[in-house]
Structures are given as C-alpha cells and as structure tokens.
C-alpha cells in the first residue's frame, strides 16, 4: 500500500520507469555480437616498424576478405586516432581505390549469400561488427594508429591493382594479430 502512495506522489518518475520497461520489451533476445579482442602474437623485443611490415610477404595477392578487412582497419584507425591527416587519407583511399573496394565488398557479399543464403547479409554484418570491435580493442592504439597512417600513405602511392599484393602485410603492419582477427571475424 505504501508503494502505491509513493508512486502516486511521483508521476514523473513512474512515467520514466514505464518508458524504460516499454523499451526493454522492444529488445531482442539475441545478445550483441561478442567483441573479439586482439591478442598480440608474442612479446617482441623492440623491433622497428619496418621489420613488422615484413611479417607477411608482398608476393601473395590477398583475398577480397583481406582487402575489405584492411579498409575496415583503416576506418577504425581514422575514427580512433583523431588525426585529420589520417581521416583525409582514409577518405582519399576510398575515392582512389573505389573500384577495388567495391569489387571486394561485392565478392564478400556474394560469398556470404552462397554460404548462408538469405541470412548472408546478417551474417556479414555480424562478422564486420566483430572485425571493427577487434580493431577498436587493439592493445596498443597509438602504435595501431601510427602504423595505419603509414599504411594509408603507402596505399595512396599505389595503383589499385597493387593493393591486394600488399594487403595482408599492411594489415599485419597495423596490428601483428590482425590476420587472426580476420579469420575469427569471418
């Protein structure tokens, strides 16, 4: 009985509680995708950034998923770093390599449709969320963003035909565990 009097005395709070309860009823039972944390490959003794970029050879053309993941990593870095130069570089990459990126995206969409049917788009969205979460939770954000700036500069100097050749190395340069992230997100 006291609760009813208390609630009647505070109609604004009751309205807020009722709105929150109504919103809770709108949610789905599916939990959000699990974030994938990046785990550094192994403790490394002070290696130069140039040495990190050579962990994956240049002579192997990357798949569409690696090219698309590289774009995703650069996107996260552009958002995290707060550097206007990196944001501008990322936007320029999107324009310069538009056809290559559109082709990579289309290839990924087709692969997901083939593997998952009508659920392909939703499954791809979940994979991209995991990929972005993984990149945003890298252990050393400063290093990740600094390397992403270097990778962006390199991509801007290349013709689109050469981007797949360096995509895996570029991902590894940004984050040594990135290839594991790509394989776990997809």
């Amino acid at each position: 009985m006291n609760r009813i009097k208390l609630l009647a005395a505070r109609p604004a709070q009751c309205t807020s509680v009722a709105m929150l309860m109504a919103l809770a009823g709108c949610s789905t039972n599916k939990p959000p995708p699990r974030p994938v944390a990046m785990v550094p490959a192994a403790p490394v003794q002070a290696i130069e950034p140039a040495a990190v970029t050579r962990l994956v050879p240049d002579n192997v053309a990357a798949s569409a998923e690696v090219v698309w993941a590289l774009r995703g990593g650069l996107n996260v870095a552009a958002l995290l770093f707060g550097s206007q130069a990196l944001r501008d570089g990322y936007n320029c990459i999107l324009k310069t390599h538009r056809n290559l990126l559109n082709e990579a995206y289309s290839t990924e969409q087709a692969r997901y449709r083939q593997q998952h049917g009508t659920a392909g788009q939703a499954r791809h969205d979940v994979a991209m969320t995991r990929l972005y979460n993984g990149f945003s939770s890298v252990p050393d954000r400063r290093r990740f963003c600094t390397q992403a700036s270097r990778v962006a500069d390199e991509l801007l100097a290349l013709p689109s035909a050469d981007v797949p050749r360096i995509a895996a190395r570029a991902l590894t340069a940004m984050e040594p565990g990135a290839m594991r992230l790509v394989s776990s997100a997809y």
Side-chain angles (χ1 to χ4, degrees), residues 31-136:
R34 285 184 311 123
V36 178
M38 296 290 292
V39 178
V44 180
Q45 296 176 348
I47 58 175
E48 295 298 313
V52 172
T53 63
R54 295 294 168 208
L55 294 175
V56 176
D58 277 350
N59 58 357
V60 178
S63 64
E65 73 181 316
V66 174
V67 171
W68 192 247
L70 175 60
R71 186 221 46 91
L74 289 168
N75 179 255
V76 171
L79 294 170
L80 281 178
F81 201 32
S83 162
Q84 187 63 42
L86 180 55
R87 284 193 298 270
D88 291 346
Y90 173 71
N91 287 327
C92 193
I93 287 167
L94 294 179
K95 291 175 188 168
T96 302
H97 301 298
R98 174 180 305 159
N99 292 338
L100 172 71
L101 296 173
N102 285 341
E103 184 180 312
Y105 181 75
S106 294
T107 301
E108 283 302 284
Q109 290 297 306
R111 183 169 69 93
Y112 271 82
R113 273 192 309 276
Q114 181 183 18
Q115 290 178 349
H116 307 289
T118 57
Q121 180 65 49
R123 297 286 292 266
H124 186 259
D125 291 346
V126 168
M128 290 301 94
T129 299
R130 284 190 184 132
L131 184 71
Y132 274 71
N133 286 343
F135 279 125
S136 67

Side-chain angles (χ1 to χ4, degrees), residues 135-151:
F135 279 125
S136 67
S137 64
V138 295
D140 187 351
R141 281 186 174 183
R142 178 174 293 203
R143 186 195 159 289
F144 171 68
C145 292
T146 300
Q147 287 297 104
S149 291
R150 291 178 180 153
V151 166

Side-chain angles (χ1 to χ4, degrees), residues 162-186:
D162 289 344
V163 172
R165 183 180 51 81
I166 64 121
R169 176 185 54 80
L171 265 174
T172 304
M174 290 188 327
E175 178 56 42
M179 293 306 289
R180 282 190 306 247
L181 176 62
V182 171
S183 64
S184 70
Y186 286 88

